[in-house]
Amino acid sequence: MTPSKKSTKKSSTVVLIATTLAITILSSGLVEAKPAMAHKADISHPKGTSPWPKYGEKPETNTPEVKAWVKTVNWDKVPKLPIRYTKSSGDPPECPKKDPPKSDCWWTCTGCYAPDDVVDCPGKKQWGLTFDDGPEPATTDDLFDLLDDRNVTATFFVTGMKSTKAPWLLQETIDRGHHLASHTWSHSGLTTLTNEEIVAELMWTQKYIFDHTGYKVKYFRPPYGDIDNRVRGIARELGFRTVIWSNDWDTQDWQLPEKTISQKQIVGIFNNGLHDLPKRNKGVITLEHDGDQQMVTMARTLLTMGMKSGMKPMSIAQCMNDPIGYNQVPVKPAASAAKPAVVAAPKPKEAAVHDETVQSAKVPTKDASSEESLPGSISKESTSNKTSGSSRMTAGAGFAVAGWTFAAMIASLVL
């Protein structure tokens, strides 16, 4: 039987009511939005400041921020060393035929460490677990799950440019109890850059992390380990501490995507290190990466091997017995405070881009009993507590189903 125009009109009205109700519920915030899978670079920046440096490019040095940061450096404390030659911009330098002066302490070409370089963990069998070149959507999350499963923490040396494609992973790193550190903005060999370019690489990365988490990083690892006393001098003046890795504890996992090394070979490298472990008076710092699923698989294997041998994985802050691990961390604001307070330990020299009140605090750990609130500048894409997020999604879905059910009941009565 053909439905009457009146019935058809009622049906359309019911469908419209149900659709409107569902859309209202879904857009009310009860269903939590997830980051877009395209992972476009985050080009947003606080009003009145320069745009973030472009993805894949060295930061410009003629911005007001960089000029201000450069002025904070006491250049009398920075050795006047030559800018090193590289065949391609961004790559590590070429070592000269003639050995550079020992006073340069150029790690890349002489293997020299400065007294304040962090190379080993001080405690025997301590394992400074570090991952470079992230964050990487999905891959870094899988690594978080692995570390959660083993109940261990690590330090993630992130690049500024990669962070723009996954800014929510910066906060998630902290929320998961891990430690954030800098791997510069563009992953260029630092000894191949000008003084101003080095400042820009370090400080734009620190600013991006701060603006999205409220934490100012303290530790940094030079890409390729490329550092000399000129780079160290600039980093010290800006409040950073250099981290390299222990001799023979570079896992070489970065070669996996290039298929220039096999997992079996990496296991062999790690086994050699474990064999010599009893001879060491100190612990170790390993170099791994989180840019590829093969690396996560390798990390799982190496964690099993190391922990079975009695190694104790931990972040760089933990192995250095640094209870804060940052130059500045957020704390809960007072009830009457208009803006969140922040703390520093110690406050580094830097441009007056941010002017905050400081006091002492502790770095979050896996067994922290409470979480600290963050400044209002946190990115909208920062991840929130997973449990509450899941609850919101469940509640939203439940309300949506209820809306459609209610509409169906009306339809059955009207029609």
Side-chain angles (χ1 to χ4, degrees):
M1 188 170 77
T2 304
S4 65
K5 290 184 179 181
K6 188 175 181 180
S7 297
T8 302
K9 188 174 181 180
K10 288 181 179 179
S11 299
S12 299
T13 302
V14 171
V15 171
L16 179 60
I17 292 172
T19 302
T20 302
L21 181 59
I23 291 173
T24 301
I25 292 170
L26 291 171
S27 63
S28 65
L30 291 170
V31 177
E32 187 174 6
K34 289 188 175 182
M37 293 307 293
H39 303 305
K40 293 182 179 180
D42 172 26
I43 58 173
S44 62
H45 53 92
K47 186 177 181 181
T49 64
S50 302
W52 299 115
K54 294 179 181 179
Y55 188 91
E57 296 182 14
K58 293 182 293 186
E60 295 180 0
T61 60
N62 60 352
T63 64
E65 291 84 359
V66 175
K67 291 178 180 179
W69 291 325
V70 167
K71 288 181 180 178
T72 68
V73 176
N74 182 350
W75 293 103
D76 292 335
K77 294 184 178 181
V78 178
K80 293 176 175 60
L81 302 182
I83 297 173
R84 313 299 179 174
Y85 170 74
T86 179
K87 289 183 178 180
S88 179
S89 178
D91 286 348
E94 298 290 318
C95 292
K97 293 181 180 179
K98 184 180 179 181
D99 289 340
K102 289 184 178 179
S103 59
D104 289 8
C105 196
W106 187 10
W107 182 89
T108 306
C109 297
T110 66
C112 176
Y113 297 114
D116 60 345
D117 287 350
V118 178
V119 181
D120 304 311
C121 286
K124 198 173 176 65
K125 289 207 172 183
Q126 285 184 328
W127 178 2
L129 188 61
T130 70
F131 297 92
D132 289 12
D133 295 356
E136 191 70 37
T139 303
T140 303
D141 270 322
D142 288 347
L143 190 54
F144 287 157
D145 291 341
L146 168 63
L147 299 176
D148 280 350
D149 183 60
R150 304 299 174 89
N151 196 31
V152 298
T153 58
T155 293
F156 287 81
F157 289 92
V158 300
T159 65
M161 66 176 185
K162 283 284 191 74
S163 296
T164 65
K165 287 199 170 184
W168 63 91
L169 286 175
L170 297 176
Q171 185 60 46
E172 186 172 353
T173 302
I174 295 169
D175 291 344
R176 295 279 195 117
H178 301 297
H179 179 222
L180 275 174
S182 171
H183 202 36
T184 74
W185 186 272
S186 69
H187 200 277
S188 299
L190 292 180
T191 66
T192 70
L193 306 182
T194 67
N195 290 346
E196 293 78 12
E197 286 175 330
I198 294 168
V199 171
E201 288 277 351
L202 291 170
M203 295 305 294
W204 272 123
T205 306
Q206 184 188 71
K207 177 172 170 55
Y208 192 88
I209 294 170
F210 176 82
D211 284 359
H212 288 77
T213 66
Y215 287 76
K216 282 189 177 178
V217 293
K218 174 179 181 179
Y219 296 91
F220 98 100
R221 174 174 281 158
Y224 316 108
D226 182 40
I227 194 167
D228 60 13
N229 277 341
R230 177 174 69 99
V231 177
R232 287 187 185 91
I234 294 172
R236 288 189 196 107
E237 282 294 295
L238 295 172
F240 293 96
R241 182 134 188 218
T242 303
V243 180
I244 313 291
W245 55 85
S246 301
N247 279 329
D248 302 322
W249 287 88
D250 176 357
T251 65
Q252 302 290 327
D253 65 340
W254 59 270
Q255 297 187 58
L256 284 171
E258 300 177 10
K259 298 182 179 179
T260 52
I261 198 170
S262 67
Q263 292 192 7
K264 185 177 180 180
Q265 288 174 303
I266 294 176
V267 167
I269 293 171
F270 202 78
N271 264 328
N272 290 337
L274 292 176
H275 181 266
D276 294 335
L277 198 60
K279 304 174 186 177
R280 296 182 61 94
N281 294 321
K282 295 182 177 180
V284 302
I285 295 174
T286 56
L287 172 60
E288 297 180 65
H289 299 78
D290 60 330
D292 185 272
Q293 285 294 341
Q294 298 175 79
M295 298 170 181
V296 177
T297 300
M298 198 71 255
R300 181 178 289 104
T301 299
L302 300 184
L303 267 175
T304 299
M305 293 170 60
M307 294 177 76
K308 281 185 176 179
S309 298
M311 296 177 71
K312 300 175 182 178
M314 60 189 68
S315 69
I316 295 301
Q318 288 172 312
C319 93
M320 295 305 296
N321 196 27
D322 184 346
I324 297 176
Y326 297 89
N327 279 326
Q328 187 169 291
V329 301
V331 294
K332 289 183 178 180
S336 59
K339 293 183 179 180
V342 292
V343 301
K347 185 177 182 180
K349 289 183 63 180
E350 67 170 81
V353 178
H354 302 287
D355 184 16
E356 297 96 355
T357 306
V358 296
Q359 63 185 38
S360 63
K362 290 188 177 181
V363 67
T365 58
K366 280 281 185 179
D367 56 356
S369 59
S370 62
E371 304 227 351
E372 298 174 333
S373 62
L374 304 173
S377 60
I378 296 174
S379 166
K380 291 180 180 179
E381 292 181 307
S382 295
T383 52
S384 59
N385 181 276
K386 286 193 170 183
T387 303
S388 61
S390 299
S391 298
R392 286 194 296 273
M393 293 179 71
T394 302
F399 278 114
V401 171
W404 283 107
T405 303
F406 177 69
M409 291 175 64
I410 293 175
S412 66
L413 293 173
V414 174
L415 300 177

